[in-house]
């Protein structure tokens, strides 16, 4: 790596310009943006907003900022505003420039990607601001401080207007507006939902801080208000985060359990609550940075939880002599949020999303051991519900194990007996093989005739599928509709799932764009998500994208996959002849396409479009699945009402 890392003094009491260390010019950022924001895809684009918001959150952690607002303006311009002290504007001795300018034009130490320090003491602020500036077509900052309004402007990291005073003010705060540079990003359209999820998470993690978000783009004007703005402030912090995650489920005990503690410079807080589902959801953070890869804080949590619950079971006699509960049994139906703050976080793993500091294992384990034990003793009713849940889980796991063994023996899950509805391909190398899971017999018929049988297999699915959210593992293993999918894929299920045995590296769901199609798609995804998650995590699941329109002019036929494309293609077909008649027909469903049409538009690797299903944000996916599939009707209705327009774009 050609980028130097320099240690930064994190213990300074107050702002001191000398802490800002010059490492590299901003050209380095434009040359290798991925090094600073992870990627130049949509995730990098959203990262820009997080960098700016993080500075405002630091100001809140320092105790000076109470409200942050994030706005998507027309043209995908982002505006972030806070009511903190305002970035310092005094001229630094060292550089002869205002601190504000230095913050925005000098690449600072402690690069955020891979984690910054824990900034309780103030001082190490604004590390990402210059990165955002470098990657913006333009950026402007306004600071309200000391009775004056200061303004400064930049373009692609270069100053275009010196800092100047543009007026007087009776408040303090910082406002930043920027337009991401289309030369640097593949796509510059912001997702309100992505920002919303992140801002909500930050509001939960910073109890009492108000974060508002608003989508002002004209193209969003038709959406209902709740789909384009929200103001969030949670006095209960991560307790409310847990209630929120459990909102579609039935809690087993009324109050969220909350424990916290600290040691030297580190602190940890944990909130948890069991619900009547079978899923475990642990969401962990280190210095407000999400750690989906888990790490030491999660390990400490899990070992202590298992130990405490087993000890409680023994002490109360609810657990018999010789019986013991596994970690999974203890965590069935449990939702937990773990948030730790520490001075030198070590983020590990390829995506730097796993916390490596072993002192966090000890800290979390210690807090839980002491405080959860006390809690259960003081709240025997909760203790009883948790024990009942874990004991039932333990028995169900045993039943599931037996059921799995019996399918394995009967249907030859491992011996290669293939389902009747599968038309397999000739190729045997999984890396080259694809399987289309097709809704409906007539569509499956066309797919079967139209496919290239050398490497494409087709499995027909029919009717409504079992709702896996409402069933326990042992039922799923025995289900007649899922069994063919399990056997065809060949990799097993649940704890036995083995990616190495997977028979196709492209698992393509092909369903109509209508309600039934999206039902089948959601059900299959729910199933994959819960029982074959590595399939999604490794990018093996796709959604076929059939065309929406057929356009005909004389003997020429073309297809279009969206309304925009329909208009474009139709104009092209008319050419310079405004009177030419182009006939536009809407495809009603896959079933009415001929085998050739289906091959050419949807299955031919040279021409088709496939949408890869990404786990994206696992929390969000889990939430939507539960919401759409779970017992609670009201939140589901509300969600569908708000999202009806873009349900088909559900990217999970
Ligand atoms: C919309 C983005 O950047 N707010 C913000 C940033 C700073 C301060 C306040 C601040 C920090 C300190 C003192 C201090 C920053 N200051 C710096 C630096 N909002 C946003 N609000 N006074 C104000 O750290 O002691 C960098 S960021 F380096 F100049 F201090």
């Amino acid at each position: 790596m050609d980028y130097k890392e320099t240690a930064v003094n994190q213990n300074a009491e107050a702002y001191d310009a000398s802490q800002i260390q010059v490492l590299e010019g901003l050209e380095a950022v434009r040359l290798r943006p991925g090094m600073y924001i992870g990627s130049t895809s949509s995730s990098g684009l959203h990262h820009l907003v997080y960098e700016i918001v993080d500075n405002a959150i630091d100001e809140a952690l320092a105790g000076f900022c109470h409200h942050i607002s994030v706005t998507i303006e027309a043209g995908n311009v982002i505006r972030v505003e806070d009511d903190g002290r305002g970035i310092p504007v005094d001229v630094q001795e060292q550089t002869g420039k205002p601190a504000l300018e230095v913050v925005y034009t000098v690449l600072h130490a402690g690069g955020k990607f891979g984690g910054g320090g824990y900034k309780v003491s103030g001082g190490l602020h604004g590390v990402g601001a210059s990165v955002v500036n470098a990657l913006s077509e333009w950026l402007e900052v306004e600071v309200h401080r000391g009775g004056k309004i200061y303004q400064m402007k930049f373009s692609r990291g270069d100053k275009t207007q010196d800092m100047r005073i543009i007026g007087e003010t009776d408040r303090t705060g910082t406002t930043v507006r920027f337009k991401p540079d289309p030369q640097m990003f593949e796509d510059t359209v912001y997702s309100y939902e992505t920002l919303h999820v992140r801002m909500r998470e930050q509001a939960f993690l910073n109890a009492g801080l108000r974060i508002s978000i608003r989508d002002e783009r004209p193209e969003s004007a038709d959406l209902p208000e709740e789909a384009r703005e929200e103001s969030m402030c949670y006095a209960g912090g991560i307790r409310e985060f847990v209630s929120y995650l459990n909102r579609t489920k039935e809690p087993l005990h009324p109050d969220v359990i909350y424990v916290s503690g600290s040691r030297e410079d580190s602190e940890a807080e944990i909130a948890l609550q069991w619900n009547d589902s079978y899923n475990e959801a642990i969401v962990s953070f280190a210095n407000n940075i999400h750690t989906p890869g888990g790490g030491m804080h999660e390990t400490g949590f899990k070992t202590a939880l298992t130990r405490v619950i087993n000890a409680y079971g023994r002490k109360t006699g609810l657990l018999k002599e010789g019986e013991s509960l596994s970690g999974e049994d203890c965590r069935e139906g449990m939702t937990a949020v773990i948030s730790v703050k520490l001075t030198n976080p070590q983020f590990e793993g390829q995506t730097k999303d796993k916390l490596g500091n072993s002192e966090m294992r000890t800290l979390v384990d210690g807090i839980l051991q002491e405080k959860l034990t006390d809690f259960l003793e003081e709240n025997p009713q909760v203790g009883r519900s948790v024990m009942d849940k874990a004991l039932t889980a333990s028995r169900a796991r045993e039943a599931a194990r037996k059921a799995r063994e019996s399918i394995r023996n009967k249907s030859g899950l491992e011996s290669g007996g293939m389902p009747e509805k599968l038309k397999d391909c000739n190729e045997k190398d999984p890396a080259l093989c694809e399987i289309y899971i097709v809704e409906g017999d007539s569509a499956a018929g066309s797919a079967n005739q139209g496919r290239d049988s050398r490497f494409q297999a087709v499995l027909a699915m029919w009717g409504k599928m079992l709702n896996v959210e409402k069933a326990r593992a042992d039922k799923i293993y025995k289900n007649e509709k899922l069994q063919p999918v399990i056997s065809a894929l060949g990799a097993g299920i649940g704890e036995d799932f083995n990616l190495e045995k997977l028979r196709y590296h492209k698992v393509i769901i092909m369903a109509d764009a209508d309600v039934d199609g999206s039902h089948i798609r959601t059900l299959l995804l729910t199933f994959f998500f819960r029982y074959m998650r590595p399939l999604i995590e490794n990018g093996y699941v796709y959604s076929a994208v059939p065309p929406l329109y057929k356009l005909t002019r004389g003997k020429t036929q073309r297809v279009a996959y969206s309304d925009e494309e329909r208009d474009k293609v139709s104009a092209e077909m008319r050419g310079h002849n405004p009177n030419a008649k182009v006939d536009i027909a809407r495809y009603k469903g896959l079933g009415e396409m001929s085998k050739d049409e289906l091959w050419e538009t949807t299955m031919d690797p040279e021409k088709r479009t496939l949408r890869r299903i990404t786990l994206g944000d696992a929390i969000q996916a889990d939430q939507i699945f539960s919401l759409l599939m779970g017992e609670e009707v009201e939140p589901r209705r509300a969600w569908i009402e708000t999202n009806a327009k873009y349900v088909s774009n559900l990217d999970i």
Side-chain angles (χ1 to χ4, degrees), residues 14-15 20 52 55-56 59 80-82 85-88 99 103 123 125-126 145 174 176:
Y15 161 70
I20 298 170
I52 299 296
N55 290 341
E59 184 67 357
V80 183
E81 202 165 350
D82 73 41
R85 289 167 291 178
I87 301 177
V103 170
H125 282 334
R145 195 174 160 116
T174 305
V176 177

Side-chain angles (χ1 to χ4, degrees), residues 15-18 20 86-93 95-106 108 125-126 129 143 145 152 154 163:
Y15 161 70
D16 165 2
S18 69
I20 298 170
I87 301 177
V89 290
D90 56 309
V91 173
Q92 280 183 264
E93 225 172 88
T95 56
K97 293 174 177 173
L100 174 64
E101 178 170 343
V102 176
V103 170
Y104 274 86
T105 54
V106 177
H108 298 103
H125 282 334
V143 171
R145 195 174 160 116
M152 190 162 190
F154 308 87
M163 186 175 82

Side-chain angles (χ1 to χ4, degrees), residues 244-260:
Y244 173 80
L245 294 170
N246 272 343
R247 74 195 180 290
T248 62
K249 302 174 175 153
E250 198 59 52
L252 287 190
H253 48 100
D255 297 320
V256 173
I257 303 169
Y258 175 84
V259 294
S260 66

